[in-house]
Amino acid sequence: MEERPVIALDYSNWEEAKLFLQSFHDERLFVKVGMELFYQSGPTIVETIKAQGHHIFLDLKLHDIPNTIYQALKGLAALQIDMVNVHAAGGMNMMKAALEGLEAGTPAGMQRPLLIAVTQLTSTTEEQMQKEQLISKTLQTSVVHYARLTYEAGLDGVVCSALEAAHICRETNEHFLRVTPGIRLPGEAVHDQKRVVTPEDARKLGATGIVVGRSITESASPLTAYLKIKEAWEEK
Ligand code: C5P
């Protein structure tokens, strides 16, 4: 995965997202399109954003039976997105089917989109996981277990907290992607995120990529905020 911070395009319609993207002029971005925008605007939004020269992480967190996932991912690969995700809870066979679907759908001569998995949602508490999913382990154990399963299924990485990145790296390998949200510059509003880290700390803690939303989307100057975060992230 290339190094640019991924910007979360958390807008409900293309008009708003378009206005936001216009403030970046010629800067080529890596943007995250989630369910909100994709389900409102449809697959054409991917073509529109790609036509502007940006890379796309399609954050649809897919989870279904292997055959359905295979077909869904095959179709998404044809859109030439750069990265997409599924839920690790769908299981090993589902994750393998996702990968096979992506491979089957990638046009000849093009690179297969990266495939990463969500482990436990950050909105899930340990108590809830134990009571509702009947997993009698710690949240951390479950997250690392799902990361290992994802690795064994042959996927490229996981979405995780920067605070879990080093542990996941030890359990998999250094090339296994650790894409981390919950990023803020020092002194910024935390919003609903419980545990945030700075871009520098994310790297130091073992993240291989960062996803940033409101620090950029709510900034008076998104381009300035983006460049500041990019510089902090790329600082070795
Ligand atoms: O605005 P903020 O930087 O908090 O946004 C982070 C982005 O990453 C949002 O799109 C959010 O949905 C997403 N995300 C997250 N935590 C996860 C997975 C995705 O914050 N575990």
Side-chain angles (χ1 to χ4, degrees):
M1 182 183 165
E2 50 113 338
E3 295 262 304
R4 276 174 294 182
V6 176
I7 304 179
L9 273 189
D10 290 329
Y11 296 103
S12 56
N13 61 69
W14 170 235
E15 283 311 306
E16 284 178 31
K18 185 166 84 179
L19 267 182
F20 171 74
L21 289 175
Q22 277 168 359
S23 58
F24 288 88
H25 310 290
D26 292 333
E27 190 77 27
R28 294 287 170 258
L29 308 172
F30 198 152
V31 299
K32 178 169 88 71
V33 172
M35 293 184 194
E36 192 183 0
L37 194 52
F38 191 77
Y39 292 149
Q40 308 289 329
S41 309
T44 52
I45 193 159
V46 170
E47 287 163 35
T48 311
I49 295 174
K50 290 290 295 179
Q52 295 188 1
H54 305 305
H55 283 196
I56 298 183
F57 166 23
L58 197 55
D59 179 22
L60 297 182
K61 301 187 176 73
L62 298 168
H63 186 170
D64 209 320
I65 58 169
N67 182 56
T68 303
I69 286 291
Y70 174 92
Q71 298 298 348
L73 274 285
K74 189 175 168 190
L76 290 177
L79 293 177
Q80 297 182 32
I81 46 169
D82 299 280
M83 185 157 76
V84 63
N85 58 3
V86 294
H87 266 283
M92 180 76 99
N93 287 343
M94 188 209 75
M95 288 195 276
K96 284 183 177 167
L99 199 55
E100 285 163 15
L102 275 186
E103 277 160 5
T106 302
M110 304 298 292
Q111 237 183 344
R112 163 179 76 70
L114 291 169
L115 180 62
I116 60 176
V118 175
T119 56
Q120 289 284 355
L121 292 170
T122 39
S123 53
T124 304
T125 63
E126 187 164 281
E127 190 193 3
Q128 184 190 356
M129 179 193 81
Q130 292 172 347
K131 275 195 184 145
E132 297 180 8
Q133 300 179 27
L134 286 186
I135 295 173
S136 51
K137 304 275 182 188
T138 64
L139 191 64
Q140 170 89 0
T141 304
S142 172
V143 165
V144 174
H145 169 70
Y146 274 141
R148 211 181 304 120
L149 200 68
T150 305
Y151 175 69
E152 284 165 16
L155 273 62
D156 301 298
V158 285
V159 182
C160 65
S161 152
L163 302 156
E164 293 149 1
H167 194 164
I168 291 171
C169 180
R170 283 196 301 277
E171 294 287 332
T172 58
N173 72 33
E174 59 177 314
H175 305 294
F176 188 68
L177 301 175
R178 282 98 52 198
V179 180
T180 66
I183 304 294
R184 293 292 183 276
L185 285 169
E188 269 189 334
V190 169
H191 305 103
D192 54 352
Q193 297 282 17
K194 296 281 181 285
R195 300 177 302 172
V196 300
V197 300
T198 63
E200 294 96 319
D201 285 347
R203 182 178 285 289
K204 282 186 202 144
L205 288 165
T208 60
I210 52 173
V211 177
V212 189
R214 286 161 291 186
S215 284
I216 298 173
T217 56
E218 291 186 0
S219 165
S221 171
L223 177 59
T224 310
Y226 170 69
L227 293 176
K228 210 165 152 184
I229 287 168
K230 187 166 175 275
E231 193 182 280
W233 166 244
E234 286 171 355
E235 201 134 294
K236 304 266 157 63

